[in-house]
Amino acid sequence: MFDALKRLFSDLVDRAPAPAFADDDPRLAVAALMFHVVAADGVVSPVERERMVAELARRYRLTIDDARDLADAARRADLETAALQRFTGGLERRLPLAERREIVAALWKVVLADGTIHEFEDNLVWRIAELLGIEAHERIALRKTAEADLEDAALHALADGGRETS
């Protein structure tokens, strides 16, 4: 009987509703900007989506499932409006400059996930950075840092894959 109660309780906990993300939640605004950027070239590749989910999970300390829920909510929010100001306005007013820089850095990581930067993606990150109050030279530096990080990760993966096992 005790085992049956434990299973019932476990089933109820497992079915707990996913967290809701309110329209004014800054996490939703950041996620919507990420989605907008990865969709700019007309294709949201699985690698871009997974990078977006991973960035959201890391940034907001969410489980992967909660980060996926946030990504889905962001997609819906982004499809409701094409106005970037809906998402950037509150972030620009409420977040310190350092956090806004981190958002732009995260956007570059998501853009670079598929190994290419489409001109629409580049232009969109530029516009978002401007709306967030990030100066041009900072945006360029953040892009270069993201590219260098990607290159370092690729070199590490190559080195790890090239090791012989004994």
Side-chain angles (χ1 to χ4, degrees):
M1 169 110 171
F2 183 69
D3 287 337
L5 286 173
K6 280 179 27 181
R7 278 193 304 273
L8 176 62
F9 181 71
S10 177
D11 287 347
L12 290 173
V13 169
D14 289 343
R15 289 188 217 152
F21 299 99
D23 285 344
D24 63 345
D25 188 331
R27 298 174 302 175
L28 180 61
V30 170
L33 291 171
M34 285 183 179
F35 181 82
H36 198 81
V37 167
V38 299
D41 63 359
V43 178
V44 179
S45 72
V47 70
E48 287 174 318
R49 178 167 166 76
E50 285 308 307
R51 169 54 79 183
M52 177 181 160
V53 167
E55 281 295 315
L56 292 170
R58 181 196 61 76
R59 178 177 192 73
Y60 298 116
R61 295 183 179 105
L62 299 171
T63 66
I64 291 297
D65 287 338
D66 288 346
R68 284 190 179 113
D69 290 342
L70 177 55
D72 289 341
R75 181 186 57 79
R76 288 188 300 272
D78 181 66
L79 293 174
E80 289 175 9
T81 182
L84 294 175
Q85 292 83 354
R86 173 184 174 199
F87 306 116
T88 58
L91 297 174
E92 200 272 334
R93 285 187 305 275
R94 293 197 278 181
L95 299 180
L97 184 59
E99 285 186 51
R100 289 180 276 139
R101 284 184 187 122
E102 289 175 15
I103 291 168
V104 174
L107 291 174
W108 281 123
K109 288 178 185 178
V110 171
V111 166
L112 290 163
D114 65 357
T116 61
I117 299 175
H118 190 279
E119 65 183 281
F120 293 154
E121 294 168 330
D122 183 52
N123 181 269
L124 195 51
V125 174
W126 176 272
R127 289 189 337 201
I128 291 168
E130 282 184 331
L131 291 168
L132 291 175
I134 308 297
E135 303 224 3
H137 70 279
E138 291 176 296
R139 182 197 66 84
I140 293 166
L142 291 166
R143 175 182 171 167
K144 290 189 182 302
T145 299
E147 289 172 331
D149 290 348
L150 181 67
E151 189 174 310
D152 287 347
L155 289 174
H156 287 309
L158 184 61
D160 289 344
R163 289 191 181 145
E164 292 182 24
T165 56
S166 3

